[in-house]
Amino acid sequence: MKRRRVLQSLGAAVLGGPLAARCAAADAKRPRKLLFFSRSVLFEHSVVRREGQSPSLAEKRFSEMAGRVGLDAECTKDGTVFDGDLDQYAAVVSYTCGRPADLMKPAAKDGSPPLSERGWKKLDAAVREGKPFVAIHPGIWLLPEAAGADCLGHGTQQVARIRVASPRFPGAEKLGESFSMLEEWFSLIRFAKDLHVILVQDCAGMNKDKPADRRCYDRPPFPCTWARMHGKGRVFYTSLGHREDVWSSKIFEQIVLGGLSWALGRLEADVTPNLDQVAPQANEFMKP
């Protein structure tokens, strides 16, 4: 019980005040910079679209979130960043749109330089060797194997009920048993069996009148946020993050800061695989 109280206290610190003071000793020799990578090839989400030289909404909000936990954010769309020194980054955060082969193509919606095969392999190796990796919404495709799932697509934006499956995970402590949110919901498939599921999407009350909605949401509950280990690396993913108002919401901030703090090793959590317990039919939905 004592250890549980300590973890809960630390989790509250993530959301209610600067975490850096609590972690100063542990982080003294660690990098303080986060890499936020948002190259867009298949589609450019409005939250990562820059107007001229101004940072995008997601870049500004993520930089603010990083500052709340005493870290700095380097935001880039330049795929050549992975050819450089990855040791300078405490973690890599992905909001890319495109699979690795797409991200290696010269053409992009935002005109950014492509990811090289060498750079992608460096990133994959770094995560396997312990580099924390966080993926948000379409960022799941940058390192699909590390993320532990795939995406079928999405239907129309609508309200969905999200069940909290791991209420003691950092960032989930104040979410209650469930919450509802208007969002563009990915229909995720092919889940790795070792996921520690934090949030589960319940499609029961979603509108399925349109063909795309039936294709994506006529299915049993499935994970939409989770943590897992990829080799030695801590990996956190949430499907939230399409809409501007989601990026501005406290719920999203809690979820991202909690997952980031766990990935960085600043907070500990029990990440025992629980897919079979909290979403037992998730992998039965395998539409092409």
Side-chain angles (χ1 to χ4, degrees):
M1 290 297 293
K2 182 177 179 182
R3 181 173 181 270
R4 182 181 303 169
R5 287 196 296 272
V6 169
L7 291 180
Q8 290 174 338
S9 174
L10 286 172
V14 173
L15 309 178
L19 182 64
R22 290 179 175 266
C23 302
D27 289 346
K29 296 182 179 179
R30 296 180 182 178
R32 296 178 55 81
K33 185 164 56 174
L34 305 171
L35 178 64
F36 184 81
F37 181 53
S38 60
R39 185 171 199 252
S40 302
V41 177
L42 298 183
F43 178 79
E44 185 179 29
H45 289 70
S46 61
V47 294
V48 294
R49 184 179 301 125
R50 293 175 177 173
E51 298 297 336
Q53 298 301 313
S54 299
S56 67
L57 171 65
E59 289 173 327
K60 288 186 284 190
R61 284 289 292 129
F62 184 77
S63 296
E64 291 170 1
M65 284 190 259
R68 293 189 197 282
V69 291
L71 296 171
D72 300 317
E74 177 183 319
C75 301
T76 186
K77 298 174 181 293
D78 187 344
T80 64
V81 68
F82 297 105
D83 293 318
D85 177 20
L86 298 184
D87 290 339
Q88 64 181 306
Y89 302 114
V92 173
V93 181
S94 171
Y95 196 101
T96 54
C97 189
R99 298 179 187 277
D102 299 312
L103 296 168
M104 294 177 196
K105 296 176 181 178
K109 300 295 184 182
D110 49 30
S112 59
L115 176 71
S116 70
E117 184 174 1
R118 173 179 175 273
W120 183 85
K121 287 180 177 179
K122 276 186 61 179
L123 172 61
D124 180 61
V127 174
R128 291 176 188 274
E129 288 302 313
K131 178 72 66 181
F133 179 68
V134 172
I136 300 171
H137 200 49
I140 189 173
W141 281 331
L142 178 59
L143 289 176
E145 186 178 348
D150 200 356
C151 178
L152 171 68
H154 63 81
T156 55
Q157 295 185 31
Q158 57 179 298
V159 174
R161 176 177 175 268
I162 305 301
R163 178 163 50 86
V164 180
S166 183
R168 295 178 183 170
F169 192 88
E173 306 97 331
K174 298 182 179 181
L175 297 178
E177 293 184 358
S178 66
F179 62 91
S180 296
M181 181 176 284
L182 172 62
E183 178 61 296
E184 177 191 86
W185 300 106
F186 280 169
S187 184
L188 301 167
I189 57 175
R190 289 192 280 273
F191 299 99
K193 299 293 286 184
D194 64 353
L195 300 188
H196 179 78
V197 182
I198 303 161
L199 303 178
V200 172
Q201 183 165 340
D202 186 352
C203 298
M206 297 183 71
N207 189 307
K208 307 177 185 71
D209 291 341
K210 296 181 179 180
D213 294 331
R214 286 196 297 274
R215 177 174 180 260
C216 289
Y217 308 132
D218 188 12
R219 60 177 298 181
F222 64 95
C224 66
T225 300
W226 61 79
R228 72 181 296 264
M229 299 300 298
H230 184 60
K232 300 176 183 177
R234 295 186 178 199
V235 177
F236 174 82
Y237 173 72
T238 182
S239 69
L240 297 172
H242 176 87
R243 294 172 55 90
E244 287 88 346
D245 56 344
V246 170
W247 271 89
S248 299
S249 74
K250 288 298 182 183
I251 287 178
F252 181 71
E253 180 175 311
Q254 290 174 22
I255 292 167
V256 172
L257 281 183
L260 176 63
S261 296
W262 170 79
L264 289 168
R266 289 180 156 207
L267 295 178
E268 293 302 327
D270 180 359
V271 293
T272 301
N274 63 352
L275 177 64
D276 290 340
Q277 288 73 46
V278 303
Q281 295 179 290
N283 274 329
E284 294 178 15
F285 183 80
M286 295 292 288
K287 289 187 178 182

